[in-house]
Amino acid sequence: MSDIRALTAGKRIALGSGLYAERAAQHHSEWEERLRTWYAWLQPGGKRKAARFTQQVGALEAEISQLDNEALAGALLYAVTPMHKHGFADPYLARAFAVIREASRRCTGKRHHNVQLLAGRALLHGKLAEMATGEGKTLAGTLAICTAAATGASVHVVTVNDYLAERDAEHNKALFDFFRLSLGIIEQDMPPQQRTEQYAQQIVYVSNKELTFDYLKDRIAIGHLNATQVKLNRLFNEAGTQSSILRGLHLAIIDEADSVLIDEARTPLIISETIPDDLGEALYHQALALANGMHAEHYTLGKNRDVWLTPAGHTHLRAAAEGLAGLWQKPAWQQELVQKALSALHLFKRDQHYIIADNKVQIVDESTGRVMPDRTWERGLHQMIEAKEGCEITGQRRTLSQITYQRFFGRYLLLGGMTGTAKEIEPEVKRTYNLSVERIATHKPSKRQRLADHVFLTDDERWQKVIERASHFAGMGRAVLIGTRSVEASERLGQLLTEAELPHTVLNARNDADEAELVAEAGQPGRITVATNMAGRGTDIKLAPEVHAAGGLHVILTEFHDTARVDRQLFGRAARQGDPGTVEAVVCLHDEVFTRFAPTLAQLYLPWVRSGRPHGRLFRWLVRHAQQRSERHHRRQRLQTLKQDRQWLMSLGFVAAHRK
């Protein structure tokens, strides 16, 4: 492709002046970003254009089906030639999609439905395609992937973990081979030279974490060279010089886009190095001992996992630290260390926010339930939690480079994504990434039934009801999926199911390597699967014929999440593609989403729970209110992360300018 900017159908895009083709850093005023948010609510639909597009593809089907394999493979290159000048306009996309659909039918036995055509079109128009669970996002993505790769663009297919990257790549390899499109797969711990070779391929499947860190490595590697030196080194391929890992940020297609762009966007990605910890292990244990000696009137816990000492707390700490040597003689250090210790003791819980594996503290992603083994908390918090758990205390970390997902994915010339839940976050993705959301209709009408909610005052009542309902539906020959919010809850429920002599499988962060296999088997008759939030992502639950005849999969939600999107993902496991299925919620009024974000309203709802006749509509309003407050809270956190990232960039630029 002579000019990679032609991908964007004539939109003017400023390229960066760095190592390879990427969008220049964008600086928008806060008012411009707010206007984007308002536009997301007001933009018109395009149903007529969508219908016309599917008709255009269908009209070409008879002609395309007459081609032999060699002619069909060449037809894609012919179809994409006008895109070099006109971008991904509908008339040219229609022919390309007709070719890819016929090739897929021949190679894989799967023919794209009209709704999948519309999803592929949305991706190349730079949108998020919202497709219900089970509607075939992986197959829909091949339309955009093959089309873009055939134009010469570097296509990055971004998934939430390495397993899904490898699995999806292998599923689609036959189709890519048919069109002679080269395929690369990035895996954790892959050596740099091999990574560079894989990124050189036309289509690259990679997890969001690996991709972003590879980009940071490129920035570090060339940080000591100016642009002219980099170009000369690449031109002459000088021995001993550091080449880039990536070959450009042309096009990214993100699977489970809401998880990547929103849920994981609260924390910047950081490459750091370990430096000696001058504080010493004894200091952390002393801080924990002092924190354990404090009472509720000595500190206040905030919603952002902040801790503040009260006046009584300051007085208590000064008295408790009197006589201690070293840093304890400095009031600022006293406060910093004890506040970190209070956070470790009261705000970060084992088997919820982290697990202990191989005698190491490993952070658990609260949105997905997956372990993030390479992540650490900053400014001594991680070391404080290691001391709390009796693990070996690792060294402090010094930042070498960092970036947010907001800034990184904003550098792509064209960005698209797919997810089952996106409409709720459209204003935010429009504001942050300038992405619109296109809701794709289901191929078949949904038969999902939501049963009445069950609300209790204690955990014991909740779990007793969950076991009762799971036993009932499994006894009918149906499959049962039970979703929990934490590792701790999943293991507690697993123990109770064992005591009730109900065969089951528990899937959580401790065994997430077997995730896909366990979820795929969850559709067998009488099978009970307990899983954390990861169950809603990435792998289809295929129903056995007997389960389908008995009423399909039954999903039990045991605790509402901070965001309704995650609950919708879990419920979306049932009744996919026109299958039968039912869902229900069995929860406790003292769950975190209520006590943290709607404590007063939860107290007002108590009489209905105690009466044994919960008011269904009122309770769902309470849930919606609590989740909306939670979503606003987390949205503010993400915007604050983005502001801090911009401030970090400004300070970095100031230092660089000062050094010159």
Side-chain angles (χ1 to χ4, degrees):
M1 181 176 269
S2 58
D3 186 350
I4 204 69
R5 284 172 288 191
L7 287 170
T8 57
K11 296 178 182 177
R12 296 177 64 86
I13 286 184
L15 295 182
S17 59
L19 184 60
Y20 36 63
E22 59 180 325
R23 190 187 292 262
Q26 302 174 72
H27 303 286
H28 302 295
S29 69
E30 187 171 345
W31 276 108
E32 183 179 351
E33 292 179 344
R34 288 184 179 181
L35 286 171
R36 281 182 182 176
T37 303
W38 298 334
Y39 176 76
W41 293 111
L42 299 173
Q43 62 181 337
K47 291 185 178 180
R48 289 185 180 180
K49 288 184 178 180
R52 186 163 60 246
F53 178 75
T54 56
Q55 290 169 4
Q56 289 174 331
V57 178
L60 293 165
E61 191 162 13
E63 172 194 337
I64 298 297
S65 65
Q66 299 302 313
L67 301 175
D68 61 29
N69 284 356
E70 186 174 351
L72 184 63
L76 181 59
L77 291 176
Y78 171 77
V80 303
T81 298
M83 298 179 191
H84 289 234
K85 181 177 180 180
H86 302 289
F88 297 129
D90 279 359
Y92 313 114
L93 280 184
R95 178 166 289 275
F97 281 17
V99 170
I100 297 166
R101 178 157 75 172
E102 176 61 22
S104 178
R105 185 187 66 79
R106 296 182 190 184
C107 294
T108 68
K110 297 178 180 179
R111 175 185 177 276
H112 298 85
H113 300 304
N114 281 352
V115 295
Q116 292 170 321
L117 297 177
L118 294 178
R121 171 178 174 264
L123 294 175
L124 292 181
H125 285 184
K127 296 181 179 180
L128 293 188
E130 181 182 273
M131 298 182 73
T133 301
E135 288 294 303
K137 290 190 286 292
T138 301
L139 184 62
T142 59
L143 294 162
I145 294 166
C146 292
T147 300
T151 67
S154 174
V155 181
H156 295 160
V157 187
V158 185
T159 68
V160 293
N161 61 41
D162 291 349
Y163 169 80
L164 292 177
E166 184 177 1
R167 186 205 67 179
D168 291 351
E170 291 300 324
H171 280 183
N172 297 325
K173 187 176 186 300
L175 182 59
F176 301 151
D177 288 344
F178 182 90
F179 291 117
R180 301 180 183 88
L181 298 171
S182 58
L183 174 64
I185 305 171
I186 304 298
E187 298 176 350
Q188 190 175 5
D189 299 326
M190 184 176 280
Q193 182 59 39
Q194 191 175 351
R195 283 178 182 267
T196 302
E197 293 170 359
Q198 294 298 305
Y199 277 117
Q201 308 309 309
Q202 293 165 287
I203 301 166
V204 183
Y205 279 77
V206 58
S207 71
N208 54 298
K209 182 190 71 173
E210 294 294 324
L211 174 63
T212 312
F213 279 128
D214 285 337
Y215 178 82
L216 284 178
K217 291 171 189 174
D218 277 352
R219 309 334 291 169
I220 294 172
I222 66 169
H224 64 288
L225 302 176
N226 61 41
T228 302
Q229 289 174 312
V230 170
K231 290 175 182 177
L232 287 173
N233 287 344
R234 296 185 68 185
L235 179 63
F236 295 107
N237 194 24
E238 293 183 4
T241 59
Q242 176 67 51
S243 62
S244 63
I245 300 174
L246 303 173
R247 72 180 179 100
L249 302 185
H250 301 169
L251 168 64
I253 295 174
I254 306 175
D255 193 16
E256 303 301 347
D258 63 320
S259 177
V260 174
L261 298 179
I262 298 299
D263 296 331
E264 296 192 34
R266 281 182 282 173
T267 306
L269 284 88
I270 298 172
I271 288 184
S272 58
E273 62 179 353
T274 302
I275 59 177
D277 191 338
D278 297 330
L279 297 182
E281 185 175 335
L283 198 68
Y284 293 113
H285 289 291
Q286 184 66 65
L288 289 167
L290 290 173
N292 271 316
M294 303 185 84
H295 305 293
E297 66 270 16
H298 294 147
Y299 55 86
T300 302
L301 304 178
K303 285 185 178 180
N304 293 326
R305 292 188 186 147
D306 297 320
V307 178
W308 298 278
L309 295 183
T310 63
H314 283 288
T315 302
H316 174 87
L317 178 58
R318 283 194 298 271
E322 189 174 351
L324 296 178
L327 294 177
W328 293 112
Q329 295 302 310
K330 301 179 180 180
W333 275 100
Q334 287 181 13
Q335 182 175 333
E336 174 73 14
L337 288 167
V338 170
Q339 285 182 171
K340 282 287 187 298
L342 288 168
S343 294
L345 290 172
H346 302 296
L347 297 177
F348 291 84
K349 299 178 181 178
R350 182 171 177 170
D351 294 336
Q352 179 176 345
H353 302 112
Y354 62 91
I355 63 171
I356 304 299
D358 301 325
N359 199 35
K360 295 180 180 178
V361 173
Q362 298 192 355
I363 299 174
V364 174
D365 187 319
E366 294 179 63
S367 299
T368 65
R370 293 185 172 98
V371 171
M372 301 187 291
D374 299 325
R375 299 275 185 94
T376 59
W377 286 294
E378 293 185 279
R379 295 192 293 271
L381 176 60
H382 201 88
Q383 290 72 24
M384 195 68 74
I385 293 175
E386 289 171 332
K388 164 191 164 183
E389 296 293 347
C391 298
E392 179 184 355
I393 296 179
T394 58
Q396 295 276 3
R397 310 289 293 179
R398 179 169 60 194
T399 297
L400 299 177
S401 186
Q402 72 176 57
I403 198 169
T404 58
Y405 280 132
Q406 294 97 319
R407 181 156 59 92
F408 171 66
F409 284 110
R411 302 302 295 269
Y412 273 91
L413 303 184
L414 187 62
L415 181 66
M418 299 178 288
T419 180
T421 48
K423 206 63 182 176
E424 302 98 323
I425 57 169
E426 183 171 16
E428 185 172 354
V429 295
K430 186 67 178 177
R431 172 176 181 162
T432 306
Y433 303 96
N434 199 20
L435 286 173
S436 299
V437 173
E438 184 168 328
R439 179 169 283 175
I440 309 297
T442 56
H443 176 54
K444 297 179 181 179
S446 175
K447 297 180 181 178
R448 185 180 306 115
Q449 298 179 33
R450 179 161 180 183
L451 308 182
D453 298 327
H454 304 275
V455 190
F456 299 98
L457 293 179
T458 66
D459 270 351
D460 290 342
E461 292 175 300
R462 182 229 311 267
W463 298 127
Q464 182 180 352
K465 188 66 174 181
V466 169
I467 292 170
E468 175 189 319
R469 299 295 284 173
S471 176
H472 169 73
F473 286 102
M476 294 170 59
R478 296 178 62 180
V480 179
L481 176 66
I482 307 173
T484 66
R485 275 198 63 177
S486 67
V487 174
E488 180 184 22
S490 68
E491 294 182 341
R492 179 180 179 186
L493 179 56
Q495 183 179 357
L496 294 173
L497 287 167
T498 299
E499 293 172 0
E501 299 182 350
L502 290 173
H504 63 281
T505 301
V506 176
L507 172 60
N508 58 36
R510 296 192 199 281
N511 58 351
D512 59 358
D514 304 321
E515 170 187 345
E517 181 181 351
L518 295 175
V519 172
E521 294 174 353
Q524 299 302 310
R527 180 68 61 92
I528 299 175
T529 304
V530 180
T532 49
N533 294 327
M534 67 179 74
R537 302 283 180 172
T539 304
D540 286 336
I541 297 177
K542 294 180 172 59
L543 302 183
E546 310 94 299
V547 173
H548 190 282
L553 179 70
H554 180 70
V555 173
I556 302 175
L557 178 149
T558 62
E559 184 176 353
F560 287 105
H561 197 270
D562 286 354
T563 171
R565 287 181 295 105
V566 178
D567 298 338
R568 273 219 291 148
Q569 286 278 354
L570 180 64
F571 283 157
R573 308 305 299 175
R576 55 181 291 275
Q577 290 192 344
D579 289 341
T582 51
V583 301
E584 66 180 337
V586 182
V587 300
C588 177
L589 199 60
H590 297 301
D591 287 339
E592 182 180 1
V593 71
F594 302 122
T595 58
R596 187 177 177 190
F597 294 104
T600 303
L601 291 178
Q603 287 295 318
L604 293 174
Y605 187 72
L606 275 174
W608 277 277
V609 181
R610 287 176 177 148
S611 70
R613 297 189 300 275
H615 190 292
R617 289 185 181 178
L618 183 59
F619 178 67
R620 292 203 180 172
W621 179 84
L622 170 61
V623 173
R624 186 164 59 251
H625 173 78
Q627 289 180 327
Q628 286 174 345
R629 290 196 63 191
S630 167
E631 287 163 357
R632 285 196 297 270
H633 167 72
H634 292 308
R635 186 163 55 249
R636 286 193 295 267
Q637 278 190 318
R638 290 188 291 270
L639 290 174
Q640 183 61 31
T641 298
L642 188 55
K643 289 179 181 178
Q644 290 173 348
D645 185 55
R646 288 170 177 168
Q647 291 170 356
W648 182 81
L649 275 178
M650 290 174 63
S651 64
L652 197 65
F654 175 79
V655 171
H658 181 69
R659 285 176 178 170
K660 289 179 182 178

